[in-house]
Amino acid sequence: VFFSITGNIFPSDWNWQNPFPACVKFNSVKSINVNVVYACGEAGSIAKTTNGGVNWYLLNSGTSYDLNKIEFINEYTGWCVGGKELYSLIIKTTDGGLNWNSQLPPNDTSYVLKEVKFQNENTGWAGGGYYSGRSTMFKTTNSGLNWVRVNTGTNLWVYSIEFISAQTGFAS
């Protein structure tokens, strides 16, 4: 389920990239450089390539819950968010995906996280929504050791977070 595109600014050709594992739906992909790319998806699946997509291998995420978004700040340090039904999770690696550790969001986990974005090694955001329809967003300033709920001012779920500076960001 991996495709790559090469060529000029308006490429027209996509290339099938090693459909391993063929039965997994991947939800998010993060490119670190031309060689290292990570992807996450259903049933806790995390895949990595270190040769630009020629070969992919699965990493053990330690969870069977769906992973919705993957974010890395360098080749070794990254986070995934996801969940299932009434359980949300945040997991982090500091060794390029070999080991993943749980970083629990605040106690009320009757929501699903759909997005994670880090501005730097310490400051990050996670967002999603409650099944009742409300949005939810969390912020960390210590690399995910603690997450604090942030008021979004809306009932719409958070699917994407982007920052243009340390003080200005957008969520949709």
Side-chain angles (χ1 to χ4, degrees), residues 2-53:
F2 290 102
F3 294 91
S4 71
I5 194 162
T6 56
N8 60 34
I9 193 166
F10 299 108
S12 60
D13 296 320
W14 286 86
N15 299 310
W16 185 256
Q17 288 281 307
N18 222 350
F20 172 74
C23 60
V24 173
K25 175 187 158 211
F26 286 95
N27 298 319
S28 177
V29 63
K30 179 68 178 186
S31 169
I32 307 305
N33 56 46
V34 297
N35 291 314
V36 179
V37 181
Y38 293 89
C40 72
E42 291 180 337
S45 298
I46 301 176
K48 178 180 181 180
T49 181
T50 56
N51 57 11

Side-chain angles (χ1 to χ4, degrees), residues 8 27 31 33 40 46 49-50 54 58 61 65 80 82 84 86 104-105 114 119 132 143-144 160 167:
N8 60 34
N27 298 319
S31 169
N33 56 46
C40 72
I46 301 176
T49 181
T50 56
V54 175
L58 285 179
S61 69
Y65 291 111
C80 277
K84 196 171 198 174
L86 299 178
L104 296 177
K114 296 288 189 177
Q119 293 174 269
S132 63
S143 197
S160 181
Q167 293 79 28

